[in-house]
Amino acid sequence: MAEQTLANHSDRLNAINIYPVADADTGTNLYLTVRAAAQALANLEPSDVGVTMATAGRAAMEHARGNSGTLLSVSLVAMAEPLAGAQRLSGPLLAAALHRAQLRAWSALSEPMPGTILSVLEAAARGAKAVGAGQNADESNHALAETINGAVDAARAAVVLTESQLEVLTDAHVVDAGGVGLLLILDCLRSVILGEPLQEDLLDGLSGYKVQDPNIALDMPEQEGVEVMCSISLTPLAAAGLRMELDDLGDSVIMSAVSEEADANGSYPWRLHVHVPSSGVALDAIRAVGDPSNVSISALTATSSDDGHDLL
């Protein structure tokens, strides 16, 4: 459901994608990231909730696209941890999963900013927790329904606030694209849990989101530089050193472990994302500490958002 919903909304999400760069691809990136997760689940044998979420998260992270896709995949991997071994989802488990996701997402980004998908995720976690606080660890289906409703309601309120939290969004009179994308995904979860249709009025009144609104991203100044993404196996110490170097070379640095299982050398699989003036400076730093795989490089410009290519 989330895959199809994001496909339906990708054009409008792209149109308001102006932060952290106006490259008009947030909708596309979220759709492709979720599609990878859905494809992985299509081939999964019946499993508990934790295994299902972990499988989706790993697939999403390995094929994540852009800032938003990377942060979403980090969140999915984190959500799987409190769900390990659970045969069914409950209100307390959902609240714990969202809390873990928002902590991991904020820590994965070197310079987390309010007014983004991070704020919406944090609000969803707080909304779920607030409902759960009055339920005394109730694991009933009713409590689960109340919890997801609390998460979605809080997430929507946070999306509205994004316009006033970042100057670039305030000036353009739009809400954050990544935040809207996450809201749509949460509403898909709500729809599945409650057995109800998606909320038709969920996005009503969001600045810049009417079909007739202009494509703000294409009117923004052309962006310089490239986005580099890859997977790499590193020890925590080496990963910390690489993060510091990439922080000096560029911005929008995201690094998160794909799993908590180390190899014989104590290295973990990581997913990496960074915006840099040129791909060479990032790749030189990355290759100095390890052997990257699943490398992709994309231009940071709205007119070239589909010109990214993979370097296997």
Side-chain angles (χ1 to χ4, degrees):
M1 176 182 290
E3 178 184 359
Q4 185 58 55
T5 298
L6 289 171
N8 293 341
H9 286 265
S10 61
D11 286 348
R12 182 43 38 189
L13 291 173
N14 289 344
I16 62 170
N17 170 210
I18 60 173
Y19 184 86
V21 290
D23 48 2
D25 63 359
T26 287
T28 302
N29 289 341
L30 283 173
Y31 162 69
L32 293 174
T33 302
V34 169
R35 185 180 69 175
Q39 290 174 342
L41 293 181
N43 299 320
L44 182 68
E45 294 294 328
S47 303
D48 63 50
V49 179
V51 170
T52 300
M53 185 65 75
T55 300
R58 285 194 298 269
M61 192 173 286
E62 286 296 332
H63 299 280
R65 297 282 293 268
N67 284 62
S68 54
T70 303
L71 290 171
L72 174 63
S73 62
V74 168
S75 301
L76 294 177
V77 170
M79 288 180 72
E81 295 167 6
L83 302 178
Q87 297 303 310
R88 58 179 292 274
L89 188 62
S90 66
L93 281 176
L94 176 59
L98 288 171
H99 177 67
R100 185 72 59 89
Q102 65 102 358
L103 291 177
R104 188 70 58 81
W106 277 90
S107 64
L109 193 58
S110 289
E111 297 183 2
M113 292 290 292
T116 64
I117 188 173
L118 296 177
S119 296
V120 178
L121 179 57
E122 182 176 34
R126 289 180 175 175
K129 182 180 179 180
V131 171
Q135 294 178 336
N136 195 26
D138 186 350
E139 296 186 354
S140 68
N141 289 336
H142 173 74
L144 174 59
E146 291 296 309
T147 301
I148 186 59
N149 275 327
V152 173
D153 289 346
R156 192 194 185 283
V159 168
V160 173
L161 284 177
T162 61
E163 182 182 0
S164 63
Q165 290 176 299
L166 285 171
E167 184 177 357
V168 64
L169 301 182
T170 304
D171 292 344
H173 304 293
V174 297
V175 292
D176 180 67
V180 178
L182 177 61
L183 176 61
L184 288 167
I185 293 169
L186 289 171
D187 196 46
C188 288
L189 178 59
R190 176 190 177 277
S191 175
V192 171
I193 290 174
L194 272 62
E196 297 179 357
L198 296 173
Q199 300 181 81
E200 293 184 0
D201 60 349
L202 182 68
L203 307 181
D204 288 357
L206 295 184
S207 296
Y209 211 78
K210 294 190 294 292
V211 174
Q212 62 268 33
D213 286 335
N215 190 323
I216 298 294
L218 291 179
D219 293 333
M220 300 294 285
E222 185 170 319
Q223 307 292 312
E224 297 182 356
V226 295
E227 174 186 76
V228 176
M229 299 186 65
C230 70
S231 299
I232 190 168
S233 183
L234 297 172
T235 65
L237 182 60
L242 178 57
R243 180 194 285 270
M244 292 178 63
E245 185 166 1
L246 293 176
D247 283 338
D248 290 337
L249 295 173
D251 53 35
S252 293
V253 178
I254 306 173
M255 285 187 68
S256 186
V258 178
S259 77
E260 295 184 326
E261 297 181 5
D263 62 20
N265 298 318
S267 296
Y268 296 81
W270 298 79
R271 189 62 178 165
L272 181 155
H273 170 283
V274 63
H275 292 169
V276 285
S278 67
S279 60
V281 295
L283 292 175
D284 286 347
I286 293 167
R287 288 170 176 153
V289 294
D291 183 20
S293 62
N294 196 16
V295 179
S296 67
I297 301 170
S298 302
L300 294 179
T301 173
T303 56
S304 301
S305 60
D306 293 329
D307 291 340
H309 56 281
D310 295 333
L311 303 177
L312 301 179

